[in-house]
Amino acid sequence: MKNLKRISLLVLLMAFVISCTTMKNDTNGAVSGKVESIESGKDGYTAKITTDKKEVYFATISIVNVGGPQNYKQVKIGDVVSVKGEKWKTDDENHIKVTEIVSVK
């Protein structure tokens, strides 16, 4: 009986871990668009990006998240950028934690 409980608990725990991992991977994506505004932060900045489909994303760009100073770029208002990272949505806002700056034009 104890072994059955242990096995059941282990299976339940594994299912939970797998579901959490799958959910996180589904949130990764790319965003491309024009930088409308920039808000400076502690170790980076947040850029408001408007896509061609008129979607607005708040992209958090920091030195740590992009893998160090060699991958970090400062964008300017009016730049057209493409970024990759972890996306999430609040009630009325789209966000992306940038892990890669693909291009800045």
Side-chain angles (χ1 to χ4, degrees):
M1 188 67 165
K2 286 183 182 181
N3 285 338
L4 182 59
K5 286 182 181 179
R6 287 181 185 169
I7 291 172
S8 297
L9 182 62
L10 182 61
V11 169
L12 183 63
L13 181 63
M14 287 175 53
F16 177 73
V17 169
I18 290 170
S19 68
C20 288
T21 303
T22 304
M23 281 179 21
K24 187 169 183 173
N25 288 340
D26 289 343
T27 61
N28 288 338
V31 172
S32 297
K34 185 177 180 182
V35 177
E36 301 294 333
S37 65
I38 297 173
E39 186 77 30
S40 296
K42 183 177 169 184
D43 66 343
Y45 57 95
T46 299
K48 180 180 176 183
I49 300 172
T50 304
T51 68
D52 290 340
K53 295 179 181 179
K54 304 298 181 207
E55 296 174 312
V56 175
Y57 282 86
F58 292 93
T60 304
I61 303 170
S62 70
I63 295 169
V64 173
N65 291 337
V66 297
Q70 67 276 12
N71 300 324
Y72 182 79
K73 296 176 186 167
Q74 180 69 44
V75 299
K76 297 181 283 232
I77 295 173
D79 285 348
V80 176
V81 299
S82 180
V83 296
K84 290 183 181 179
E86 183 181 332
K87 297 187 330 186
W88 76 94
K89 188 172 187 167
T90 62
D91 290 335
D92 57 348
E93 294 179 342
N94 297 312
H95 295 266
I96 183 168
K97 179 177 82 173
V98 176
T99 56
E100 181 183 353
I101 301 171
V102 179
S103 68
V104 179
K105 297 177 189 174

